[in-house]
Amino acid sequence: MTQPYQKYICKTCGLIYDEAEGDPDSGLAPGTRFEDIPDDWQCPLCLVTKSDFIPLEEAQARQKRATGEQKKVRSDADVLIIGAGYAGWQAAEAIREAQPEASITMLTACDGAVYPKPALSMALSQGRDPSSLVEATAQEKAAELDMAVKTRTRVMSINAKRKKVTTTTGSFRYQKLILATGAQAMKPSLEGEAADAVMTLNDLAGYRKFREALADAQRVTVIGGGLIATEMAEDLISQGYGVQMLVRGANLMSQILPEAIAHTLANKLTAKGVEIAFHSQAERVDPIDQGYRITSDQGEHFDADLVLAAVGLKPNLGLAKKAKLDTGQGITINAHCQTSDPDVYALGDCAEADGVIQAFLEPIRRQAKALADHISQAQTGATFEVHPTLIKTKTPSLSIMLSPPLKATHGHWEQSALVGDNQQLYYRDQETVTGFALSGEFVNKASELYKTLVHEAA
Amino acid sequence: MIRQIVEQDLKALTVKIDHGLYTTEVMSKIGKAGGFRHHIASQNNGDIDLFGTIKDMATVSEECMSTGFMMWTQAVCTWYIENSDNDWLKSEILPKMVDGDCFGATALSNPMKYLAGIEELKLSATETEEGFIINGTLPWVSNLEAGSSKHFFGSIFSVHHKDGERDRDVMALIPCDLEGLALKQMAEFVGMEGTGTYSLVFDNAFLPKKYLMADPLLPYLKRIKAGFILLQTGMAAGVIQGAINDMNKSNLTLSEINEYLDEPPEDLQEDLDDALEMIEGLCEDPFNADEEFLRSVLEARLLGAEICKRAADSVMQHAGAKGYLVDAAAQRKMREAYFVIIVTPSIKHLRKELSRLEAA
């Protein structure tokens, strides 16, 4: 007698692997048992490996256990974390693992819910509504980690000399402080009476509002042509919305993706019905009888029921600046994720290492381990170094995996293979390969190429 | 200078003012000593030093927050004129108000609630060629004197055409001796009675157009808003410091038993110092139009009220039974602190505004 098919959940991003469905994109046929998946298989959403998956039942049981008693928020903590995004919770987990006895407190301006952020740009096609993305409330997660959390509490300032932070509901002391303040979606500067109606996305609360607005919408205009803008456009068109994109440059994802693949992707999206206007920058948004009218710098008009802007992220540096920590684009950190104040650490989308901000999950996990090691003095040797990142775009019309060069250099993309929609390109800076991009069936090679790239970079 | 005025002139009057004595004597001296000058660039060699005015207000509020409150009304009234385009007011009234020869007040509680969607505007006017004919009643405006030609207040009213159709809202400075305006003392308060607080009844009161400060209104309000709120923190800072002073005094004899209390003066002092440092930073750029900045200003104001709340409780507990005497300093500080906590903008009002910003 055969066992019924089981479900497994990715601890990192919450993707559910259903044995019944498999993962055809990476060659796992429906019916592939979890134990039969090769060890180097990667989560299709966040690219961690098989060992980061646990049975769904186990996750559910864990959540039930966690709904126990709430820990009282103390006004002093060994470790105080500001921010409850992926970075904040990763830091909390890593520190709890390294220091079972440490008192950990988290302060967050939002509700602190744990959810897989990468899933936001594919939730429509996966049939998930915002509430179903929540894996644990802040209180549940805090109970699981035996720590305290205070939600809806905005930190106003840090007094590094006295090692305390001020909120409107009181002050909190720390031995070590961790800044996980994240980033905010940039707003394009727009004229017009409905400029304020333009929505942005960078967290679950924003996504909730977006979905509420979407309920009454048929036509959506996306301002921007980067990774998130493109993923959102594809997610929207998959559900039958009319989608227009206003892209400033000549290509999609021009900062990370070679033109050859971007071009193919644009054709695929166009074939699905996405209208893409390249070389087009939104200038005004005005209300019309039904919805909004967007006017571009080219004088074209685009009418829509909802306008979504995805034009990049801006790290939240306000607190760090008030505390006079060194900042560049982000809060400057060293290999232990320490800021210029040795008792203050930073990680995630607000932190900058070697002049680079990497707003992806994988570097955050390594940052969390590095700072936990340093704070606990465990000396496991975990430090954080900037590596190229491996990105899988959530664009079902064309599978793409790439590792873009870390810094803009004078190199260029070189085509090394082209078979129909399947392409392979290397980014060559003089004699060195510092990045690659794959599309179609060639994405199978990503893992191997990535290992080589990281190995050579190190 | 200000400290000297507090010691030599104010201290002897504090209890009387708390019970209802309204005097302009101390305010005049504060004006002469420069207490209303720091934040008025046109009278201060081009410098806008809001924090200077806040510090003086705090020094006075430490002893008597009634007087500190009147300093605030005077300081915002000068702030209104300074930020208007009315040259006549700027040359004829503003210098006298800054010097403490004229007195300023603000009747913006109702308009602020109107703009937050909580109340309707209580004053309306019909426009004529030369001015406005105003009708309506405003409750609780402070630092006024009936029939005085030296007292003025800033106010907002809706303007209607002759046919009654509503046109727009404007803001003007109104003199207390305006014909058709009556000042009535209706209510009795538990404290801060000597602040010249009246209900204002307008009965076809004619205001000449030379008193107009803002038309259109909204861009002007945006400009003055942060300064308006920041200046209030001087009262909070002062009353908290006054409470701390009294707690330290109580501890001279009661420290052994007061050890069992939750909120020692040292903790409050540290939090107050931190808050003041933050407020000083915010004062550097009061015209910052960023939403994030306005949120920080509201948070700073809320923080002031929250620390007041802790101080109000702790000062009473530190004082013990002698704080239960009618005129005990602890008792007065507690009542003054509650003024910061519950009078516009109250803690609940500020929290509502902040959560509105959060949701936007």
Side-chain angles (χ1 to χ4, degrees), chain B residues 278-297:
Chain B
M278 196 182 334
I279 290 162
E280 186 171 12
L282 292 170
C283 285
E284 279 167 16
D285 182 17
F287 300 115
N288 188 336
D290 215 28
E291 190 118 306
E292 194 70 22
F293 174 74
L294 187 64
R295 171 154 68 197
S296 301
V297 168

Side-chain angles (χ1 to χ4, degrees), chain B residues 136-308:
Chain B
T137 302
L138 274 183
W140 302 357
V141 182
S142 300
N143 200 25
L144 298 182
E145 199 168 89
S148 164
S149 59
K150 291 182 171 178
H151 284 70
F152 302 84
F153 58 93
S155 192
I156 290 172
F157 47 86
S158 59
V159 178
H160 298 251
H161 295 300
K162 287 210 175 77
D163 60 9
E165 195 196 335
R166 185 162 175 168
D167 183 33
R168 65 193 192 281
D169 303 329
V170 301
M171 178 159 170
L173 190 72
I174 300 177
C176 267
D177 62 353
L178 191 70
E179 206 168 315
L181 167 65
L183 275 61
K184 296 188 175 166
Q185 214 148 20
M186 315 284 280
E188 187 184 353
F189 298 99
V190 296
M192 306 204 28
E193 275 284 82
T195 52
T197 302
Y198 296 89
S199 287
L200 306 175
V201 184
F202 290 82
D203 179 11
N204 287 320
F206 175 75
L207 182 76
K209 282 198 170 162
K210 65 178 182 182
Y211 286 105
L212 199 61
M213 289 198 290
D215 180 15
L217 179 65
L218 286 178
Y220 172 82
L221 284 184
K222 273 191 180 160
R223 201 158 64 239
I224 61 167
K225 188 170 182 182
F228 173 91
I229 301 166
L230 279 169
L231 283 166
Q232 293 184 330
T233 60
M235 288 183 267
V239 74
I240 295 162
Q241 187 63 59
I244 293 170
N245 297 347
D246 197 65
M247 288 157 75
N248 284 328
K249 206 166 140 195
S250 297
N251 277 353
L252 291 175
T253 51
L254 298 171
S255 63
E256 276 174 33
I257 185 75
N258 282 352
E259 265 177 36
Y260 290 88
L261 294 172
D262 294 328
E263 205 84 75
E266 297 78 22
D267 283 11
L268 285 166
Q269 187 72 59
E270 201 180 293
D271 286 358
L272 174 61
D273 292 349
D274 280 354
L276 280 169
E277 196 183 312
M278 196 182 334
I279 290 162
E280 186 171 12
L282 292 170
C283 285
E284 279 167 16
D285 182 17
F287 300 115
N288 188 336
D290 215 28
E291 190 118 306
E292 194 70 22
F293 174 74
L294 187 64
R295 171 154 68 197
S296 301
V297 168
L298 288 167
E299 282 175 348
R301 172 66 181 76
L302 176 58
L303 178 64
E306 298 277 2
I307 302 176
C308 271

Side-chain angles (χ1 to χ4, degrees), chain A residues 345-408:
Chain A
Y345 297 72
L347 82 165
D349 297 0
C350 67
E352 171 187 310
D354 285 337
V356 180
I357 300 174
Q358 289 179 300
F360 298 102
L361 302 187
E362 188 273 340
I364 294 175
R365 287 196 295 275
R366 287 188 290 119
Q367 288 172 343
K369 291 212 166 71
L371 65 82
D373 175 77
H374 200 249
I375 288 172
S376 65
Q377 299 175 317
Q379 302 191 322
T380 61
T383 55
F384 177 72
E385 275 142 33
V386 176
H387 293 162
T389 329
L390 184 59
I391 302 168
K392 178 181 166 125
T393 66
K394 294 184 277 297
T395 47
S397 58
L398 179 67
S399 298
I400 299 171
M401 287 183 80
L402 74 159
S403 185
L406 274 174
K407 292 174 189 176

